[in-house]
Amino acid sequence: MLVLNILPKKNYSTYQAILPLQFNLSFQNDIAHDDISRTVLEITGGINLNKYIDFTNRNTHGYNGIYMFNTVILAWALFGYASTRKLEELCRTDIRFMFLMNNYRPSHQAFHRFIHDDLKMPIDKIFTEINKYIEQHDTVDTSVLYLDGTKFEANANKMTFVWKKATTKYRARCWEKTMKCIKNLNRYIKNDLELSMIFSVYHEIRLDYLMDVCDWIERYMNGHGIEFKHGKGQRKHKIQRYYDELKDYALKMYKYTLHIDILAERNSFSKTDPDATFMHMKYDYYNNTGVFKPGYNVQMGVSSEYIRHIYISADANDMKTYIPFMDGYYDAYKTYPKIVDADAGYGCYNNYGYNSIHHIEQYLKYPGYEKEKEKKTKKNQFKSFQMKENENGEIICPAGHAFTLVSSRLDHRSMYPKTNQKYVNEHCGDCPLRSRCTKARKGRTLNRSRDMEKYHKEVRKNLESEKGKKIMMQRSIQAEGVFANLKQDYGYTRLRRRGESGVKEEIYLVAIGYNIRKYHNHKQRKKEEKLPKA
């Protein structure tokens, strides 16, 4: 009798039987010899990470800190920025990350704890050590530093802004309402309660005094059996109404005072990220309306395509960030570059004086440098920079008259003292060009600083030399090229972490990944140049 094997189900899936063997990954065989993961191991093995990574926060179940750091750096070198969930995914799917983690598969929370707890404090020191290692193994011209800054949008709500001017006005107005309420309370105490005490009225803000008044009302109500009532439909005692009103004013005053303390010397901050300041950004996704957005001003100094130093500031003006940036550079490397090249946003007397004291050549372009190179025409001949001196050192106006020095004083408002001179043209009365030159009743005036002009002359001489032209060209390639690479090529246009410490950690990790990627590319290029050409 023929028996047929009839399957009970038509829709089914078959699986190939496998032998459950455990294979270990071999770095030498499975990963290419010119892969960037080898470069990561080379650099991290060349520096002592044990003195920078904090192992005290890790329990017995924590992953190896060196493995975690290598994995994080490799991801940021490959993608510019990598989230913790991206790191978790890579450790499960990419053979390079499997090897660096020794086949462990940390969760995204494990990566978050490692970055947040173990790398926050020493990340700038690790960045400096990696740069020193690269300097020893690659050709890096540290004598020239190209400086530029950009604004990164913070991870904060755009509509949660706090402005200093408005906060100060609302705080003063709230205190006026508070004192008016206290006057009414004094009148009520005298007429209705028939007590002889009177609360003082202060013109200056005192939160502790306001809380003392509220405490007295509370004690009075408890002592006289007056019940506190809450909610709608409840008839409150009149003194409780004063109490509730003063409590509301006290909460508002506390909020305004807290905002002013957070603002300090800034003009604005975001409630979502109090360390972020509202700044004008070049790109605005609200149809280019030019609105403010919360962000950080990030300064980066570049030498030989490597990011050498970083300074994160809440100041939207680049001019005030130069000296703190250079102080931080010296603290990191114990030396100053011979040349610092930057655009006109950094050119001011304080920065020039700082360069002069620390023997840094003057290559900081100043505001109006491009205007001075314009040819003299009928339209711009009345500009102050077009009025030159004659052989006798006299400033000559377009009509041919000389200016007269009327005052000279020493200005101590800046970091380095300078002499300011005031010149007046005494021949403007009957001059036919007066209507086009000035609207002043006493004639055209000029304010000049010979000290500043001396620095300007030195800057022009350096920038117009052949060496200066090459340096200016390299700055547009290297300093601006770093931000173009990060923002355009890798899409890193907005910060993910909040707070000054979190932003600092994120920016330094981005810079470490960028430098490792550059070092790897330079190393591979040198190997290709050594190979014989076909």
Side-chain angles (χ1 to χ4, degrees), residues 349 418-421 447-454:
Y349 187 77
K418 63 178 178 179
T419 302
N420 293 331
Q421 296 176 335
N447 295 315
R448 290 198 171 184
S449 173
R450 299 293 180 178
D451 300 326
M452 190 67 168
E453 291 179 356
K454 180 181 177 182

Side-chain angles (χ1 to χ4, degrees), residues 503-514:
V503 169
K504 175 184 176 182
E505 183 181 18
E506 181 177 330
I507 292 293
Y508 271 97
L509 285 174
V510 169
I512 289 174
Y514 179 89

Side-chain angles (χ1 to χ4, degrees), residues 332-397:
Y333 301 102
K334 306 305 177 184
T335 184
Y336 291 100
K338 295 181 180 179
I339 297 174
V340 179
D341 187 31
D343 58 19
Y346 300 87
C348 68
Y349 187 77
N350 284 340
N351 295 344
Y352 291 137
Y354 184 90
N355 285 351
S356 179
I357 289 178
H358 297 94
H359 308 289
I360 302 173
E361 296 184 28
Q362 304 291 358
Y363 278 85
L364 300 180
K365 194 185 296 183
Y366 55 87
Y369 172 77
E370 298 296 336
K371 285 286 184 181
E372 290 182 358
K373 296 193 296 183
E374 294 180 356
K375 186 178 179 180
K376 188 174 182 180
T377 61
K378 291 183 179 180
K379 292 184 178 180
N380 65 7
Q381 62 177 335
F382 301 103
K383 301 293 183 180
S384 59
F385 60 83
Q386 292 289 1
M387 299 182 187
K388 308 297 181 182
E389 296 180 354
N390 59 10
E391 298 177 353
N392 299 327
E394 298 174 331
I395 304 173
I396 306 300
C397 72

Side-chain angles (χ1 to χ4, degrees), residues 211-223:
M211 297 306 298
D212 291 340
V213 176
C214 293
D215 291 341
W216 181 89
I217 297 177
E218 189 174 352
R219 289 195 303 269
Y220 179 86
M221 294 179 65
N222 294 331

